[in-house]
Amino acid sequence: MNWNKPLFLVYLFFILAYGVSDETSTQIFNSSPKFERLAYNNPGLTVDLGVGLWASPLPMDYDNDGDYDLLVSCSDVPFNGIFFFENTSGDSFPVFAPAVKVSDDPVKHIQVSYVNGEPRFLRPGEELKDFKNTFADKSEALYSKDAFDKLHNKIRFNQWKYVDYENDGDLDIIVGIQDGEDYGWDNAFDDNGVWTNGPLHGYVYLIENVNGTYELKDKITAGGEPIDVYGAPTPNFDDYDNDGDLDIICGEFMDKFTWFENIGTREKPKYAKGKYLENNVGVITMDLEMILPVSLDWDKDGDIDLVVGDEDGRVAFIENTGKIKNNMPVFNTPKYFQQQAEYVKFGALATPFSTDWDDDGDEDLICGNSAGYIAFIENLDGKDTPKWDAPKLLSSDDETIRIQAGENGSIQGPCEAKWGYTTLSVEDWNNDGLKDIILNSIWGKIVWYENIGTKGNPKLGPEKPIYVQWESETPKPDWYWWDPEPNTLATQWRTTPTAIDWNKDGLMDLIVLDTEGYLSFHERYKSKNELLLKPGQRIFSSINGTFDRKNKFIDNSNGPLRLNEQKYGASGRRKLAFGDWDKDGDIDILINGLNAGLLENMGEDVESKTVSFNFKGNLSDKKLAGHTTSPTIVNWDNKGKPDLLLGAEDGYFYYWKND
């Protein structure tokens, strides 16, 4: 940083039009949409099959060649639509071909039912006719799609399926409803970390076909009580235990499956109290949340399996072994389907950082994601258009790193237990010549992983807190129910902690949002050969107004740079990248937005030692964010001009070559 650069008193007011449909400002710095999805460029590589955020699997023989393919409906931004994954081998666990988009329009709440072996497709209130050829263009009304709006106030999942419920030869409708009214979703922990709101509810209703007319009956009961799983019930009715009647398997918002045995008859079903599906390993769980199971005989061996979508766009096969234990069918542990690699992907809400991790002379990627993992994505050849390896999960103390909220680590409550939202930077934090990882997450605790390996062979030691020499009690956001350990750093969740030698003194400093959402500078210093951090200083200032976390203009007030004025679940959520974007000799900041926004460094005030920034708007008009993006500066062509890579919520990476 050049402390002698004069302060440019530039006040440029941007009125940012904030459309109803956009998550971020629509002011464009450069209207040319340059971002392109990053390709693996690695023929023969196999990776997890995936679409973007939220995978609704629709298994069917789409190409009429006699085997099951996968259609997947995906409603996220920007990788949305309906995608076809071809089963090219005919195997029960094939390596699928890369995705082919067959429709630009995803279908929200779509469910597939198998009637006499043929797939039928429903969404609330209607059947989609000739789905294979026209998708949602042709439909037939079945019942009022708004029927459940009168019964529930917070519906997130509304799932309709056909089934001949009482074996009378006609098709009834089963509806799964998630009701979130009791849950509330935000900021309801007491001082002991106990959630004081209610749970998510997942009810199953019957709409009976009575002489050709549909009539809404009531919730289906099990064990004498209405079925109520933990949200997103996705009910499936099939004969899983091969005893001639229809049982029920429900998913949930979390990661498990509930089994309801039919202890009545095919014509008069009666369901036992639900139990979680389990096998010899334990309760069967998916890797992530918001699971969507579909039941069918996928491997065509005579029993009913499960094909299940995950929140991060992957799809798993859970095989029915045909065995029964304790009146429950035994399923194998989930196996995630694979595909031929096409575009680089790492889960959902990917947070890349570009660095030469293995010290072989090219830029690799170290990346976090919504599931709380950290991955090394290796640049295999160092060319202008790199060849990438599949993501490899990093370990600490020989155990895979996975940060998770657990019951009370998310301000949005216990339903987010398996999310981690890791975001990070990579630098030599302890000045030993090896690159370390500095990390924030869903918890808002800033920690680091020391590289205890060697140059070219990195290895991570145990997680350590980042220590700050606070002048009094250790601060925290006022809505955190828990107290941080003394002299640690607890701040807003899901925002990048940037290790950088900001003042050019040879020591690695830390820049991160503080507890109130201001960008804060923690200066590093040495004391008796120990590296310490000073309390944060708000040295960064805006000269063209105040903007919110979605880069929407708030007002003309200037002063300390506040990147998020919100509290609770709306706090944090800011991803940052530092570098000389405009090649004028100082450090600018790129922030998440519609794609990425530019905070241009306008210079230093020598007396106050404050750095002024001018918000220039989004780099492009291309919408890459529904929730957030995560920028990192790259220079793969070694031409000195910074390029940009964005991790998006769909888990893919979008590259801007700055020509």
Side-chain angles (χ1 to χ4, degrees), residues 140-409:
E140 178 182 314
L142 301 173
Y143 194 79
S144 172
K145 66 179 181 180
D146 301 322
F148 296 94
D149 293 343
K150 304 171 184 177
L151 303 175
H152 302 279
N153 292 324
K154 282 191 175 183
I155 297 176
R156 185 166 185 177
F157 291 85
N158 189 355
Q159 305 161 315
W160 295 48
K161 303 182 86 160
Y162 278 139
V163 66
D164 184 356
Y165 182 73
E166 67 283 82
N167 201 29
D168 61 356
D170 55 28
L171 290 176
D172 310 295
I173 299 171
I174 301 297
V175 181
I177 294 290
Q178 175 174 305
D179 184 327
E181 185 173 8
D182 288 347
Y183 187 88
W185 207 270
D186 203 15
N187 192 39
F189 288 110
D190 65 17
D191 291 343
N192 297 311
V194 176
W195 185 250
T196 60
N197 287 351
L200 291 174
H201 296 287
Y203 302 118
V204 182
Y205 285 88
L206 171 65
I207 303 177
E208 187 178 356
N209 188 334
V210 182
N211 299 319
T213 301
Y214 284 112
E215 297 180 5
L216 177 59
K217 296 300 183 180
D218 204 344
K219 299 172 185 156
I220 293 175
T221 62
E225 300 289 337
I227 288 175
D228 185 8
V229 300
Y230 197 80
T234 323
N236 292 271
F237 286 68
D238 260 308
D239 186 7
Y240 302 97
D241 52 8
N242 274 321
D243 65 354
D245 54 34
L246 299 185
D247 314 293
I248 306 173
I249 291 179
C250 285
E252 61 172 16
F253 189 88
M254 293 289 289
D255 60 352
K256 295 181 284 295
F257 307 87
T258 303
W259 156 255
F260 301 94
E261 183 188 4
N262 187 348
I263 55 176
T265 66
R266 178 69 181 86
E267 289 72 28
K268 294 182 178 180
K270 180 181 179 181
Y271 295 99
K273 184 179 180 181
K275 300 185 292 184
Y276 286 135
L277 284 181
E278 59 183 27
N279 56 25
N280 60 349
V281 179
V283 173
I284 297 172
T285 60
M286 295 287 285
D287 190 55
L288 200 51
E289 302 195 21
M290 298 177 69
I291 64 172
L292 297 172
V294 177
S295 70
L296 77 162
D297 185 4
W298 172 265
D299 55 10
K300 301 181 181 180
D301 65 351
D303 48 39
I304 304 298
D305 312 299
L306 298 173
V307 173
V308 190
D310 244 344
E311 185 250 4
D312 62 359
R314 294 180 296 160
V315 180
F317 172 48
I318 305 181
E319 182 184 8
N320 188 338
T321 67
K323 300 176 182 177
I324 305 295
K325 185 178 180 181
N326 298 325
N327 296 321
M328 184 189 297
V330 179
F331 289 82
N332 286 329
T333 299
K335 290 173 60 179
Y336 284 89
F337 285 121
Q338 302 287 291
Q339 69 165 85
Q340 300 163 17
E342 186 174 24
Y343 298 113
V344 183
K345 186 179 193 301
F346 183 52
L349 285 88
T351 56
F353 188 93
S354 181
T355 184
D356 186 3
W357 180 244
D358 54 6
D359 291 294
D360 64 351
D362 53 36
E363 294 180 43
D364 312 298
L365 298 173
I366 301 294
C367 190
N369 66 10
S370 66
Y373 293 113
I374 307 172
F376 167 44
I377 306 175
E378 185 180 0
N379 183 339
L380 294 172
D381 61 9
K383 295 181 179 178
D384 291 5
T385 305
K387 175 182 178 181
W388 298 99
D389 200 2
K392 291 183 172 62
L393 299 181
L394 292 185
S395 296
S396 166
D397 262 4
D398 299 319
E399 291 189 7
T400 300
I401 297 170
R402 189 174 189 188
I403 308 295
Q404 293 179 286
E407 284 293 311
N408 51 25

Side-chain angles (χ1 to χ4, degrees), residues 479 492-495 513 517 549 563-564 566-575 592:
W479 56 90
Q492 299 198 22
W493 71 337
R494 303 168 63 176
T495 187
L513 266 66
R549 72 177 180 91
L563 297 181
N564 193 345
Q566 297 294 313
K567 296 184 175 182
Y568 316 125
S571 68
R573 300 174 181 263
R574 294 300 246 167
K575 312 299 192 299
N592 60 295

Side-chain angles (χ1 to χ4, degrees), residues 537-556:
Q537 300 173 285
R538 296 172 180 175
I539 68 170
F540 308 103
S541 181
S542 172
I543 66 169
N544 68 318
T546 301
F547 300 79
D548 69 9
R549 72 177 180 91
K550 297 178 179 180
N551 299 337
K552 178 185 175 183
F553 179 78
I554 298 176
D555 56 43
N556 284 314

